Amino acid sequence: MSDFQPIILKNIPDYDKIEVYLKHGGYKALKKALKMKPEEVIEEVKKSGLRGRGGACFPTGLKWSFMPQKTDKPKYLCCNGDESEPASFKDREIFEKNPHQFIEGTLIACWAMGANTAYIYIRGEYYKWIELLQKAINDSYAKGFIGKNIAGSKFSADIYIHRGAGAYICGEETALLNSIEGKRGIPRFKPPFPANYGLWGCPTTINNIETLANIPAIIESGGEWFSKIGEPKHPGSLLYGLSGHVNKPGIYELPSGTLLTELIYKYGGGVKDNKPIKMIIPGGSSMPPLRGDEIEGLKMDNENLKSVNSYIGTAGIVVMNEDTDVVKVIKRITKFYYHESCGQCTPCREGCGWLLKILDRIDKGLGRKEDIELLADVASNIEGNTICAFGEAVAWPVKWAVKKFLPEFEQKVKENISLPIANKVHALRVTYQE
Amino acid sequence: MEIKFTEENLKKLDKAKSHYPKSDAALMPALWLAQEQFGWLSIDVMKYVGSILNIPYEHVLGAAEFYTMYYKKPVGKNHLQVCTNISCMLCGAYDILDYISDKLDIKTGETTQDGKFMLSEAECLGSCGTAPMLQLNNYYEENLTKEKIDNLIEKLSKS
Ligand SMILES: Cc1cc2nc3c(=O)[nH]c(=O)nc-3n(C[C@H](O)[C@H](O)[C@H](O)COP(=O)(O)O)c2cc1C
Ligand code: SF4
Ligand code: FES
């Protein structure tokens, strides 16, 4: 698409500075929104078809409309910048290159939902980006866009950064709420949903940073304009992240539904050393992986990815060439989840450990043939049986890697020459104990 | 050493408290301030933070234990945390980790005898596009090569 103009990562020098942002029409959308009724703003966002960029692709306008209008409790907005899903590094790009558009979107969201406080949750490791964003927030306060009587209106809202401290699970929306409250970041049961019972029991909405950064453009140019960009069912641009075996890794903002091959070969400069692709993760480590032979003609958006049994997630794409050891990769991903499980649910807590153990022995050539089936079995016992979607995040990569790359697993089990000895020792020990 | 926030940190804590409707929500910012000032969170530091925010020590401990970035043990002056998650792993992160480990003659999780360096393996740090990478205290070092590491360690050894 040659006529595509980036919505968020515009190629304007110093766009992160408030003066430059203002010179290019910054904070105009906020002023426009403040003249609209909150319901009208929500209606416009609904019309845009914008879907959350945090991974679940939930329609943003609809989510906003769940917030109760009449309530005597304070309402909150939480901006999710935890960004800890391996292979995701897009929100950081927004903090660095276009913080004001995100701040403006946050303020518009606050107005639409009647929230007077927004917390921006940022992973603790992003120290530099917290500093950058805090500077942008201070500048915006100084110009009267945040705080009391925003841009001369009757509306007031504050924005605070809450720094995380190293816990992937805090990206899950209800764990994030607990973390902001100063507690251990463990997910809560749903229902009650945050829109009714969120921060300190008050109505709360959680949105991803990229989701919010899209809002000013939607208000300025209209929901209909936005809905026509990219794939109709998942419209707008996406901040695709390319990493792994590509020549030019990085974040590329392109319309949803951009061809995966185009992303890799045109924008990513092709595969390192020009090798064929063995495996691809399309949207962060928890999304079901794809085989190299599945990518021809594949469009990158949530609906089209379903045809290969995967999802867009955070649009963090990992390219792996033919030399990649699939079992090792899946083992590394599982090790991550094992480390990050909050431990509340038995299937997740125990299952992560089992998966890792089995993968480890397969990788080391000590696996049994039945282990492959056992992997799938453990994974399916986690999926759907947990408090939060972390369960799926652990199960999917294992389950689909086994399905799609079965020969890789079988190979490792067959390679095993020491198997009879290992089994014998095991058997002896069991007999002995008896 | 008496455990007490500096005047400046007390002011920062007051500001943090004003961001939340309940002061116990300021626990995480308070722990950050404490770690900055005292280097790590000893039992006495956690007790102090609890007393100042009116939170039972057990709750402070519970939170501090949950989050990996709060240090429950002293760490070396320069904490090198190499990301070995998938994107970095595919770009040679384990070689980088081994290289540093050999160079400093410490294993992952250990600190050099002079207390200058600590080496850890980290999970994805959101820098996958500039892999391999590591976190050095608060900041990132990206697109690592062996030469870069040589220079970095040389620079840090002198300081
Ligand atoms: C284990 C887990 C981790 C998550 N991590 C993040 C994250 O780092 N950032 C994020 O925006 N959403 C994350 N999410 C999704 C959030 O729960 C939530 O759906 C999202 O922030 C909503 O924003 P959106 O509707 O704008 O996408 C995570 C979900 C799960 C289950
Ligand atoms: S699924 Fe895992 S991470 Fe989520 S609540 Fe249960 S134990 Fe915690
Ligand atoms: S995998 Fe190393 S920074 Fe993401």
Side-chain angles (χ1 to χ4, degrees), chain B:
Chain B
M1 186 184 67
E2 198 198 355
I3 294 172
K4 202 168 176 289
F5 273 137
T6 57
E7 279 304 312
E8 198 197 336
N9 277 343
L10 279 173
K11 266 191 214 139
K12 283 190 187 166
L13 182 60
D14 275 339
K15 195 167 170 208
K17 277 201 239 171
S18 74
H19 295 173
Y20 308 94
K22 286 186 171 174
S23 65
D24 59 357
L27 177 59
M28 288 186 70
L31 289 175
W32 275 124
L33 286 173
Q35 183 155 307
E36 250 170 57
Q37 184 175 330
F38 308 109
W40 63 288
L41 305 174
S42 63
I43 292 176
D44 289 335
V45 168
M46 286 191 245
K47 283 189 174 152
Y48 171 70
V49 170
S51 73
I52 215 167
L53 289 173
N54 249 324
I55 304 173
Y57 159 70
E58 290 73 14
H59 289 207
V60 180
L61 178 69
E65 287 284 346
F66 186 83
Y67 299 96
T68 49
M69 289 183 78
Y70 293 133
Y71 296 139
K72 277 74 68 181
K73 280 189 218 137
V75 288
K77 189 171 160 227
N78 298 296
H79 189 189
L80 302 167
Q81 306 193 62
V82 182
C83 168
T84 57
N85 214 308
I86 34 173
S87 307
C88 287
M89 170 176 133
L90 294 168
C91 297
Y94 280 103
D95 293 340
I96 296 284
L97 188 70
D98 290 345
Y99 186 72
I100 302 178
S101 168
D102 286 347
K103 200 172 161 85
L104 297 175
D105 199 18
I106 46 172
K107 289 201 209 77
T108 331
E110 290 179 352
T111 306
T112 51
Q113 282 201 328
D114 59 6
K116 264 197 172 162
F117 295 98
M118 180 175 171
L119 179 64
S120 306
E121 189 178 340
E123 293 298 353
C124 176
L125 291 161
S127 201
C128 331
T130 44
M133 60 81 63
L134 63 78
Q135 183 180 351
L136 165 62
N137 300 337
N138 280 331
Y139 295 96
Y140 286 6
E141 299 287 336
E142 302 167 46
N143 293 313
L144 292 175
T145 56
K146 288 182 178 160
E147 295 76 64
K148 264 197 184 172
I149 288 172
D150 289 341
N151 293 338
L152 184 70
I153 290 181
E154 196 185 340
K155 196 180 82 193
L156 295 172
S157 303
K158 282 187 197 142
S159 65

Side-chain angles (χ1 to χ4, degrees), chain A residues 348-426:
Chain A
C348 172
R349 183 187 62 239
E350 303 299 321
C352 285
W354 278 107
L355 289 177
L356 184 58
K357 245 190 217 162
I358 303 167
L359 282 162
D360 188 53
R361 68 173 178 242
I362 295 179
D363 180 41
K364 292 194 172 129
L366 299 169
R368 305 163 303 172
K369 256 201 165 131
E370 307 89 270
D371 278 343
I372 302 176
E373 221 171 286
L374 193 57
L375 272 181
D377 188 45
V378 175
S380 74
N381 275 309
I382 304 175
E383 196 181 343
N385 294 324
T386 56
I387 294 175
C388 86
F390 184 103
E392 280 71 43
V394 189
W396 284 352
V398 175
K399 173 176 148 187
W400 287 100
V402 169
K403 266 194 197 164
K404 291 190 176 181
F405 297 89
L406 189 60
E408 301 262 335
F409 287 83
E410 288 176 337
Q411 183 70 22
K412 283 231 170 179
V413 177
K414 263 192 220 138
E415 268 169 18
N416 174 9
I417 26 166
S418 55
L419 182 71
I421 303 164
N423 271 353
K424 208 164 154 190
V425 172
H426 187 67

Side-chain angles (χ1 to χ4, degrees), chain A residues 92 119 162 165 183-184 243 332, chain B residues 19-20 62 67 84 87 127:
Chain A
R92 147 184 168 177
Y119 293 104
H162 185 94
K183 301 179 182 140
R184 293 162 73 91
S243 65
R332 184 64 189 85
Chain B
H19 295 173
Y20 308 94
Y67 299 96
T84 57
S87 307
S127 201

Side-chain angles (χ1 to χ4, degrees), chain A residues 76-322:
Chain A
Y76 296 101
L77 172 67
C78 296
C79 314
N80 193 343
D82 191 51
E83 187 149 85
S84 304
E85 167 96 343
S88 316
F89 51 107
K90 65 192 179 69
D91 296 336
R92 147 184 168 177
E93 201 82 356
I94 301 176
F95 295 143
E96 188 167 328
K97 306 248 167 78
N98 197 354
H100 286 290
Q101 191 168 319
F102 154 65
I103 294 171
E104 189 177 1
T106 301
L107 291 163
I108 296 172
C110 283
W111 168 242
M113 289 180 273
N116 300 105
T117 311
Y119 293 104
I120 307 172
Y121 193 98
I122 307 185
R123 63 179 300 177
E125 295 88 348
Y126 275 5
Y127 189 82
K128 176 180 150 193
W129 294 274
I130 291 173
E131 284 183 322
L132 290 173
L133 187 69
Q134 189 60 55
K135 160 110 187 30
I137 291 174
N138 295 348
D139 290 348
S140 188
Y141 261 108
K143 295 257 186 232
F145 295 120
I146 318 178
K148 282 217 157 56
N149 301 106
I150 291 173
S153 73
K154 286 204 180 105
F155 183 64
S156 303
D158 284 302
I159 299 183
Y160 306 116
I161 294 179
H162 185 94
R163 183 183 179 196
Y168 163 71
I169 193 58
C170 289
E172 196 281 335
E173 54 185 19
T174 57
L176 182 141
L177 299 178
N178 279 340
S179 186
I180 293 180
E181 289 182 10
K183 301 179 182 140
R184 293 162 73 91
I186 53 176
R188 301 176 179 174
F189 276 101
K190 288 190 272 191
F193 289 94
N196 290 312
Y197 195 92
L199 277 179
W200 299 287
C202 303
T204 306
T205 289
I206 300 100
N207 274 131
N208 172 256
I209 305 298
E210 185 188 343
T211 310
L212 292 163
N214 276 301
I215 301 297
I218 291 172
I219 296 306
E220 202 172 286
S221 309
E224 205 184 313
W225 161 81
F226 189 88
S227 72
K228 297 207 167 106
I229 300 168
E231 283 293 291
K233 283 189 180 161
H234 189 188
S237 66
L238 291 174
L239 302 189
Y240 297 102
L242 277 176
S243 65
H245 294 145
V246 279
N247 286 320
K248 288 196 282 174
I251 297 288
Y252 297 91
E253 182 179 1
L254 291 161
S256 66
T258 299
L259 288 174
L260 181 52
T261 44
E262 196 173 315
L263 270 159
I264 297 170
Y265 292 102
K266 185 172 158 193
Y267 296 95
V271 183
K272 261 185 207 160
D273 305 326
N274 241 334
K275 290 190 170 160
I277 297 173
K278 184 186 269 183
M279 176 157 87
I280 289 196
I281 293 169
S285 62
S286 62
M287 294 299 135
L290 317 178
R291 270 194 320 262
D293 62 14
E294 289 179 302
I295 67 171
E296 204 51 53
L298 183 65
K299 287 181 169 181
M300 287 295 283
D301 64 274
N302 208 45
E303 298 309 309
N304 282 301
L305 273 169
K306 286 182 187 164
S307 69
V308 285
N309 295 304
S310 196
Y311 304 96
I312 193 75
T314 58
I317 302 164
V318 190
V319 179
M320 288 163 258
N321 70 19
E322 61 177 2

